[in-house]
Amino acid sequence: MIKLSIEELKEVVKQERICQKITEKTKEKAADIITKSKEDAQESLQKAENQEYYEKLFSKGLSEIEEKKKNIEKKTEEKIKSINEKAHASTAEKAVSMIVSYVLGEE
Amino acid sequence: MENIKAQVKFMSEIENKEIIEEAEEQAKKIVSNAEKEALRIRNQKTLEVSERLHEKEISDLEGALLEQKKRISNVRSQLLDEVIAEATTILEKMGHDSDPRYRTSLRKLIIEASTRVQACDLEILTNSRDKVFVKSKLVELTKDISRLKGMPVILKISKDELDTQGGTIVLDKNKRQIFNNTFEARLVEAKDELMSQISMILFEGLED
């Protein structure tokens, strides 16, 4: 068994108090770490829930659909142009002549 | 004595280290769980957006394609109408000018109509303009039709007149059998018979 003098015992007790204070501070620090992690977690969840982000995503998709619709319209115009060009060339004359011959009983 | 103090300090340091490690471990778990949940939410919400967009795309593009088909079909139909209108104008002009091509055609139309009516006593109807021409060709027509039918026929020109641009209607004595070979009737027939051929001529090689 170790025998200590009163003075020495006081020193040890003093040291223990210092250590307790440090432990208290450490516990506070640990609590801060957990609080900070909870805040980070909350932020992460809020980001995931952010409606604005999904609205932007939807809006971007809508723009792409509009673009596709415009392409269809453009193609329609091109097709109509091409139909008109072909029909107004000699092919229309041929078609008219075919009908006339049919009505006259020539075919 | 110094040894005891150092031991107290050492024990305390170990305890403090454990407290921090435990807190860090717990914090890591909290953040990791939240990140997993955030990822799940993000995936779900992104999927919802993408499903909404997909539905919208299908409905909008189907509408646009339908509109495209409608417009192209209208253009085609308009062009076919124009072709028919042009043919009608030519035929009207031919009739008015008593074009030799028309005269030949009228003979053919009368012969065709007469052979289709299963009778020997026939009546021919035309417009007032063509009546004179038919009268002048009646003997010749009677001969040709009799030959084609293989029996003698009696051909008469009706007192009535047709309101037609050209062609004829032939009927039997009792007016039970009628064969309409007027331009108007033949134009209707031409639309039915030739529409696919005309469409081929006009629109061949063009995509739908």
Side-chain angles (χ1 to χ4, degrees):
Chain A
M1 191 175 165
I2 304 159
K3 284 189 179 176
L4 298 172
S5 67
I6 296 290
E7 282 308 310
E8 281 172 336
L9 203 60
K10 274 183 182 171
E11 277 295 307
V12 172
V13 170
K14 195 178 164 191
Q15 180 62 47
E16 274 185 344
R17 279 194 186 137
I18 290 167
C19 287
Q20 268 173 8
K21 275 189 183 168
I22 290 170
T23 302
E24 273 165 29
K25 288 272 176 200
T26 305
K27 281 181 181 170
E28 279 171 23
K29 199 180 162 192
D32 285 347
I33 288 170
I34 290 173
T35 306
K36 171 79 170 55
S37 76
K38 282 181 181 169
E39 282 169 5
D40 288 350
Q42 193 59 31
E43 197 187 323
S44 186
L45 289 172
Q46 270 171 359
K47 264 189 191 170
E49 293 272 9
N50 185 3
Q51 203 51 36
E52 207 178 314
Y53 168 77
Y54 300 103
E55 274 164 17
K56 272 187 190 165
L57 198 67
F58 187 70
S59 166
K60 193 182 163 213
L62 284 184
S63 305
E64 283 170 12
I65 293 172
E66 278 307 310
E67 198 55 41
K68 285 182 186 171
K69 276 166 73 181
K70 273 185 196 160
N71 276 342
I72 291 175
E73 259 174 52
K74 198 178 155 198
K75 276 190 181 166
T76 306
E77 293 303 331
E78 282 168 6
K79 277 182 187 175
I80 288 174
K81 196 179 161 203
S82 147
I83 289 170
N84 276 321
E85 275 170 3
K86 188 169 190 289
H88 284 119
S90 57
T91 52
E93 263 174 50
K94 200 176 162 190
V96 169
S97 153
M98 187 185 256
I99 296 173
V100 169
S101 291
Y102 185 91
V103 173
L104 290 175
E106 294 171 344
E107 288 188 352
Chain B
M1 155 61 193
E2 281 308 311
N3 198 19
I4 293 174
K5 270 175 77 179
Q7 208 174 335
V8 167
K9 199 180 167 196
F10 177 70
M11 292 301 282
S12 170
E13 276 170 3
I14 288 176
E15 189 187 355
N16 291 341
K17 197 181 166 206
E18 278 174 1
I19 289 169
I20 292 296
E21 277 175 0
E22 202 177 304
E24 278 172 351
E25 188 64 31
Q26 209 178 328
K28 213 169 150 187
K29 215 178 261 178
I30 289 168
V31 171
S32 158
N33 283 344
E35 276 171 357
K36 273 184 202 159
E37 178 62 6
L39 183 66
R40 191 194 63 78
I41 292 169
R42 238 192 319 271
N43 284 344
Q44 192 194 329
K45 287 196 171 250
T46 306
L47 184 70
E48 279 168 17
V49 168
S50 128
E51 278 172 359
R52 275 172 64 203
L53 281 170
H54 184 63
E55 275 173 29
K56 175 105 179 113
E57 179 172 349
I58 286 177
S59 133
D60 281 15
L61 296 190
E62 270 180 5
L65 286 171
L66 202 70
E67 181 62 23
Q68 180 191 53
K69 277 195 174 174
K70 214 164 98 182
R71 282 187 63 196
I72 289 174
S73 165
N74 284 343
V75 168
R76 289 182 170 195
S77 156
Q78 198 184 324
L79 286 167
L80 288 170
D81 286 347
E82 280 174 22
V83 163
I84 288 163
E86 174 70 16
T88 309
T89 308
I90 291 172
L91 289 164
E92 279 173 13
K93 196 171 181 296
M94 250 181 208
H96 279 296
D97 296 350
S98 300
D99 192 300
R101 192 177 167 198
Y102 172 66
R103 293 252 161 110
T104 310
S105 157
L106 185 58
R107 276 193 75 244
K108 270 189 181 179
L109 297 177
I110 292 170
I111 291 172
E112 188 200 8
S114 301
T115 52
R116 294 289 187 92
V117 176
Q118 302 296 310
C120 300
D121 213 340
L122 304 167
E123 198 174 303
I124 300 171
L125 278 132
T126 63
N127 60 27
S128 56
R129 191 188 56 225
D130 292 338
K131 222 172 178 179
V132 183
F133 170 73
V134 176
K135 210 176 262 177
S136 72
K137 300 284 175 189
L138 198 61
V139 177
E140 200 181 312
L141 282 166
T142 308
K143 212 187 279 177
D144 287 346
I145 295 162
S146 297
R147 187 172 44 80
L148 283 167
K149 279 170 106 61
M151 60 176 90
V153 294
I154 301 164
L155 211 57
K156 277 195 297 188
I157 296 171
S158 174
K159 285 175 192 159
D160 298 328
E161 285 165 0
L162 290 176
D163 179 18
T164 178
Q165 293 300 329
T168 183
I169 288 179
V170 173
L171 32 95
D172 72 339
K173 197 172 118 188
N174 303 318
K175 296 182 172 52
R176 283 196 187 137
Q177 289 184 64
I178 299 168
F179 194 89
N180 188 346
N181 231 4
T182 56
F183 277 5
E184 291 78 7
R186 291 189 66 85
L187 261 172
V188 172
E189 204 179 287
K191 280 185 204 171
D192 293 341
E193 293 286 320
L194 304 178
M195 212 35 79
S196 62
Q197 276 174 269
I198 292 169
S199 296
M200 279 264 283
I201 293 171
L202 291 176
F203 313 124
E204 196 184 13
L206 298 168
E207 284 174 44
D208 277 336

